[in-house]
Amino acid sequence: MDKYGLIGYPLGHSFSKRFFNDKFATEGIDAQYINFEIPSIEEFPRVIADNPELRGLNVTIPYKQQVMQYLDAISSEAEAIGAINVVKVEHSGDKTTLTGYNSDVIGFVNSLRPLMQPHHKKALILGTGGASKAIHYGLTEKLGLETLFVSRTSRKGVITYGDITAETLKEYEVIVNCTPTGMFPHIDECPPLPYEALTTDNLLYDLVYNPEETLFMKKGMEQGATVKSGLEMLLLQALAAWDFWND
C-alpha cells in the first residue's frame, strides 16, 4: 500500500489527513495518509528511511524552508518562492529521490483570481512568515499586483500596522491576512486595521480557514468589502499536491 503524509510540528487536527484518506476511500485508491509529527527537522531523513512505501509528503510549519536542505531537486517556482509544501518521493532500486514543489501558490491564485477586479492594482500582505512567501509570489508574479508587507516591527520594505491609514487602504485595495490572528480558538481577534475606512472597493482574503468566517472577514463585510476565507485555497492546494505526486 502506498503511503502519503504530512510533516510539521505541532500538527493537531490535520485537514490533509482527513481530506486524503476520504479521497482514497471514495475513489478506491489503495493508499493511506499519515501524520508525521516531528519535533525537529533532523528527524526528516528517518521518516523517509522508515517508510519505503512513501510516495509523497505535504510540509507545514515550521519546516517549509528547513526541509529544502534535504531535497535532491526543487521546482523553479518553489525555489523562487523560497518555500516548499509538497515533496514527491520516487524510488529507483536503492536510490530515493526527493523533489520539492509549492502548491500553496496554485491554491491561492486560483482561489483569489475570480474575485479580482480591474481596479485591484496593489495588495497589503499581513505577516512576513513562511505563508507570506507564496502569497507574495502569487500576487506579484501570477496576478501582477504591487505588494507591501505589514508586520509588528518596521524594516526595509515592511510597514507596521500603526502605519496603515485610510489612504493606505484606498491605495492597497487587496488585503491578505497571512497571520494566524483570528484562528480558532482566538476567534475574537483580528489584525489591527482601520476597518472603518474599508469600502466596497476592498477585497479581504484570510488564509485562516477555522473559523470559516473570521472577525477580519466580518469587519470587512460590515463595510461592504468582498471577503473570502482560506478554505478553498486549502482544497485547491491539496489537489495540486496530488497532481505533483502523480505527475
Side-chain angles (χ1 to χ4, degrees):
M1 178 185 290
D2 289 343
K3 283 184 184 178
Y4 299 88
L6 172 68
I7 65 165
Y9 188 85
L11 291 180
H13 298 289
S14 164
F15 167 88
S16 297
K17 182 178 180 180
R18 185 174 67 253
F19 172 83
F20 281 110
N21 283 326
D22 286 349
K23 175 182 175 68
F24 298 155
T26 301
E27 300 180 19
I29 298 170
D30 187 25
Q32 65 175 149
Y33 192 100
I34 302 166
N35 281 353
F36 297 101
E37 190 173 53
I38 55 175
S40 166
I41 193 60
E42 281 75 26
E43 294 189 36
F44 176 73
R46 179 183 56 78
V47 171
I48 300 297
D50 291 352
N51 297 275
E53 307 88 355
L54 264 178
R55 297 294 177 265
L57 288 167
N58 290 119
V59 183
T60 188
I61 54 176
Y63 302 135
K64 290 188 177 186
Q65 293 167 270
Q66 296 179 35
V67 75
M68 295 172 80
Q69 63 187 300
Y70 295 99
L71 305 181
D72 300 295
I74 299 172
S75 74
S76 56
E77 190 164 88
E79 194 162 17
I81 293 167
I84 71 105
N85 72 315
V86 178
V87 176
K88 182 177 184 178
V89 184
E90 296 175 284
H91 304 278
S92 179
D94 294 334
K95 182 174 173 58
T96 300
T97 303
L98 306 176
T99 306
Y101 302 90
N102 192 301
S103 68
D104 281 337
V105 67
I106 298 171
F108 172 68
V109 169
N110 290 342
S111 178
L112 181 66
R113 197 192 302 271
L115 303 177
M116 297 285 295
Q117 299 296 327
H119 60 83
H120 290 146
K121 304 293 186 184
K122 296 184 179 182
L124 290 179
I125 300 175
L126 309 183
T128 55
S132 69
K133 292 178 176 293
I135 300 311
H136 174 258
Y137 183 90
L139 288 169
T140 57
E141 300 299 321
K142 299 293 186 180
L143 298 172
L145 272 66
E146 184 180 323
T147 61
L148 181 61
F149 284 97
V150 183
S151 185
R152 286 170 293 184
T153 54
S154 177
R155 51 194 182 277
K156 185 177 180 182
V158 182
I159 66 170
T160 68
Y161 289 95
D163 295 326
I164 299 174
T165 63
E167 289 71 28
T168 310
L169 299 185
K170 188 174 181 180
E171 182 180 0
Y172 292 84
E173 293 179 330
V174 179
I175 308 168
V176 185
N177 179 33
C178 299
T179 77
T181 304
M183 183 184 295
F184 182 85
H186 305 290
I187 60 174
D188 57 345
E189 298 177 5
C190 63
L193 302 173
Y195 290 96
E196 67 281 356
L198 294 171
T199 70
T200 55
D201 288 335
N202 288 107
L203 168 57
L204 276 59
Y205 193 103
D206 202 335
L207 264 61
V208 172
Y209 60 90
N210 182 17
E212 199 169 341
E213 191 176 280
T214 62
L215 186 57
F216 169 73
M217 294 167 60
K218 289 177 182 176
K219 284 180 172 287
M221 286 189 289
E222 287 172 1
Q223 303 301 318
T226 301
V227 303
K228 189 158 192 176
S229 82
L231 192 59
E232 185 183 47
M233 172 184 166
L234 199 64
L235 173 64
L236 293 173
Q237 69 82 20
L239 293 171
W242 180 253
D243 289 340
F244 283 133
W245 293 330
N246 294 278
D247 182 19

